């Protein structure tokens, strides 16, 4: 007898497509959060597949910290053009200029925390009722308890103790006026799944993910890019290093790893043998044991 | 690379109470299968030391939210992931005490397999009945009973077989397709990932071996063709001017171009013209694939409709009997009205009758107590505003399940399994 089995990537893809279509059907004004990082690129790719041959029926929104890697911005603009989608930019700089957010000071200053302000403002101004993002449950312990459809009150807050039960594949997007949802189509994917999928689907990525030479310095055991937006201590010497990035976020809190992996096959090999978590290079998660949980409660995605 | 593409996905849930070693088991599986990263291990090593524990406490790996750490309990279902070269695993880790039924039902609803832990010293307890009953109610195809803490009963074969016999006796009434027993010690690592050297009398495989090899290919229904229409695709572009595709995830059966189908509720018939994906048209599609169907004839179909084979139709019903698991602090209201989501259909319903409540510890029907409160399970009859296209839950978990929603709070309050 013929066996009807999907491999794990196909099953995860099918699940994510189902979620994205469910968002388009259940919400009036959804948006896909797009950072130019691999997870949001995979989400956008899935959205493209879900509605083919029609165009993706919602815009993309980039929460722009103003501290992006130039490669990310270049990639973003090219990708959005190819997709034929509308891009909305929620600017952290604007929030600072308007006094809605206050910039951190000092050596470890980051705009990661105040991203939430720009994100919530972008959602409010555009009246988005659902914001999809590429967060995964394997990333962090607070995310392990996140739903596919995550209900937020009118302040955008997450209440981990009072989440809606989510059963089978039946997603409840009903809400009261002013409330909205965060939706995570690739909740069940791991870092490895994402890389395997990128290889299998031949998805293009920003060059930052691949091994290259870059001016870097070491801080607390993490390799940081010596960009203009990070203040360096006198003992932090800048050197050319052979590195790549495992995650792409704000330049101020995203560390690189030493790596010779210059293609997808090598990256997959590296991910398979690597002994630290992906977010191990993210200083935003290291601030306290519950850093992510606290940010999520405030409305971070 | 070809290896990765042959990997299957197994979703399983773990059920257990506070002290039966569930967190230790999960920690052990992750640790022995080398799914723990150095920074994670260092973090729990430091926590263990801080608390003055002698060994690294693997149970800490499953610790979640701050409020949970403060209270030393797990509040909510947590999802965890690991992979071996054979399979990728998704664990729905459900807490045993607070809101146990709600959490277990949630975690079990998407699982192929459930692991139920039994403490070798205590044997079958009330919770074993409860967990097994919920697994059977949720139609989990495979249940593995792990008799844990074998190290504390001197790895006794007799103890294991006694528990096995007693469990088999009550499981036989529940209609679970596939049950397995494995003697383990999560703490010492016996028969979890590595074969125990202390239990030569046990000839079976380890828990991980079982998880890697259990046959899951038949867990989806590949017989009854069910395609709930999720979204209608109309490109409105020059290239695809007249294109009208029905997007959805196949809920049962195998669809092929040329198949004679009908659309419900209209009853109009047509033929499948193509099954489209971004990567091109395909020859057949089966559950749980997400695809887009096009039909030969232009008939009016929208979200909430269902495309099925002419000769194999679901029940079309407005009066529906369900087993409901109640998830809300506000009890189920007789004659109360609720919103219903069933596949892609949205309707409303009224609760016509509460038939009985199940005592989930003894499995007895309680016909004199019909107040269904949070974590209760009972049999009820509902009448919906419009017909739903349903199958028995036992036959199809997609078309046989529905959720009830409180129309004031929009909260999901009931999980229904169609009888």
């Amino acid at each position: 007898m013929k066996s009807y089995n999907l491999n794990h990537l196909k099953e995860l893809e099918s699940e994510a497509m189902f979620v994205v279509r469910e968002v388009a059907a259940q919400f009036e004004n959804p948006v896909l959060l797009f950072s130019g990082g691999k997870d949001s690129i995979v989400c956008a790719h899935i959205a493209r597949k879900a509605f083919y041959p029609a165009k993706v029926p919602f815009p993309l929104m980039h929460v722009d910290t103003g501290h992006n890697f130039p490669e990310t911005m270049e990639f973003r603009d090219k990708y959005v053009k190819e997709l034929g989608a509308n891009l909305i930019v929620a600017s952290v700089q604007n929030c600072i200029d308007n006094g809605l957010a206050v910039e951190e000071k000092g050596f470890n200053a980051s705009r990661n925390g105040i991203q939430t302000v720009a994100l919530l403002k972008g959602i409010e101004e555009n009246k988005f009722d659902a914001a999809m993002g590429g967060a995964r449950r394997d990333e962090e312990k607070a995310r392990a308890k996140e739903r596919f459809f995550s209900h937020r009150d009118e302040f955008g807050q997450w209440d981990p103790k009072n989440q809606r039960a989510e059963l089978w594949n039946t997603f409840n997007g009903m809400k009261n006026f002013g409330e909205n949802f965060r939706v995570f189509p690739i909740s069940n994917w791991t870092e490895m799944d994402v890389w395997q999928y990128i290889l299998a689907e031949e998805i293009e990525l920003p060059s930052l993910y691949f091994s290259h030479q870059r001016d870097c310095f070491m801080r607390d055991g993490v390799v940081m890019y010596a960009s203009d937006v990070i203040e360096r201590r006198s003992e932090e010497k800048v050197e050319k290093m052979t590195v790549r990035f495992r995650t792409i976020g704000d330049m101020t809190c995203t560390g690189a790893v030493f790596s010779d992996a210059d293609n997808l096959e090598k990256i997959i090999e590296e991910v398979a043998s690597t002994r630290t978590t992906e977010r191990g290079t993210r200083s935003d998660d290291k601030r306290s044991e519950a850093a992510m949980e606290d940010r999520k409660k405030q409305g971070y995605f | 690379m070809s290896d990765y593409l042959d990997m299957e996905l197994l979703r399983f849930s773990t059920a257990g109470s506070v002290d039966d070693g569930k967190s230790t088991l999960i920690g052990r599986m992750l640790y022995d299968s080398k799914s723990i990263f150095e920074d994670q291990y260092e973090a729990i090593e430091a926590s263990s030391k801080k608390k003055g524990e002698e060994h690294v406490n693997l149970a800490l790996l499953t610790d979640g939210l701050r409020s949970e750490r403060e209270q030393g309990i797990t509040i909510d279902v947590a999802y965890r992931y690991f992979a071996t070269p054979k399979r990728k695993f998704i664990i729905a880790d459900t807490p045993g005490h607070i809101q146990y039924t709600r959490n277990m039902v949630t975690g079990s609803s998407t699982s192929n397999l459930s692991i139920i832990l039994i403490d070798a010293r205590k044997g079958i307890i009330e919770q074993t009945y409860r967990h097994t009953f919920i697994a059977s109610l949720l139609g989990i195809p495979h249940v593995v009973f792990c008799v844990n803490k074998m190290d504390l009963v001197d790895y006794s074969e007799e103890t294991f077989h006694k528990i096995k016999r007693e469990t088999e006796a009550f499981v036989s009434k529940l209609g679970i397709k596939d049950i397995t027993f494995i003697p383990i010690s999560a703490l010492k690592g016996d028969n979890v990932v590595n074969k125990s050297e202390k239990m030569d009398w046990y000839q079976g495989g380890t828990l991980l071996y079982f998880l890697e090899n259990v046959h899951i290919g038949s867990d989806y229904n590949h017989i009854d063709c069910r395609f709930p229409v999720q979204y209608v695709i109309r490109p409105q572009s020059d290239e695809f001017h007249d294109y009208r595709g029905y997007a959805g995830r196949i809920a049962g059966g195998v669809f092929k171009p040329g198949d004679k189908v009908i659309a419900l509720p209209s009853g109009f018939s047509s033929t499948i013209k193509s099954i489209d994906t971004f990567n091109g048209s395909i020859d057949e599609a089966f559950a749980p694939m997400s695809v887009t169907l096009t039909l030969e004839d232009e008939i009016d179909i929208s979200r909430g409709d269902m495309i099925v084979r002419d000769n194999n139709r679901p029940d079309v019903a407005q009066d529906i009997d369900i087993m409901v698991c109640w998830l809300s602090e506000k009890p189920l209201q007789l004659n109360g009205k609720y919103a219903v989501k069933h596949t892609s259909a949205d309707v409303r319903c009224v609760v016509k009758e509460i038939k009985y409540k199940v005592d989930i510890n003894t499995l007895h029907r309680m016909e004199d107590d019909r107040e269904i409160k949070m974590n209760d399970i009972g049999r009820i009859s509902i009448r919906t505003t419009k017909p739903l296209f349903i199958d028995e839950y036992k036959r199809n978990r997609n078309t046989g399940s529905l959720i009830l929603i409180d129309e004031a709070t929009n909260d999901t309050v009931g999980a229904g399994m169609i009888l």
Side-chain angles (χ1 to χ4, degrees), chain B residues 311-366:
Chain B
N311 56 2
N312 177 344
R313 303 186 187 194
D315 282 338
V316 179
Q318 267 178 285
D319 291 293
I320 302 168
D321 268 23
I322 60 174
M323 286 297 268
V324 71
C325 171
W326 202 247
L327 313 168
S328 165
E329 278 167 16
K330 194 174 148 200
L332 171 77
Q333 306 291 309
L334 182 62
N335 298 317
K337 295 187 177 65
Y338 296 93
V340 177
K341 279 188 184 286
H342 170 262
T343 67
S344 55
D346 284 289
V347 297
R348 300 175 68 218
C349 81
V350 57
V351 177
K352 300 289 275 189
E353 193 187 350
I354 299 173
K355 297 197 162 162
Y356 56 82
K357 195 162 110 177
V358 180
D359 180 331
I360 52 173
N361 295 319
T362 61
L363 313 188
H364 289 139
R365 294 178 181 184
M366 300 188 287

Side-chain angles (χ1 to χ4, degrees), chain B residues 6 23 89 125 157-158 162 168 233 320 332 372 379:
Chain B
D6 286 337
S23 299
F89 300 97
I125 56 172
E157 179 175 11
E158 202 183 314
K162 181 167 175 282
E168 279 168 342
I233 292 179
I320 302 168
L332 171 77
I372 296 185
R379 179 171 176 160

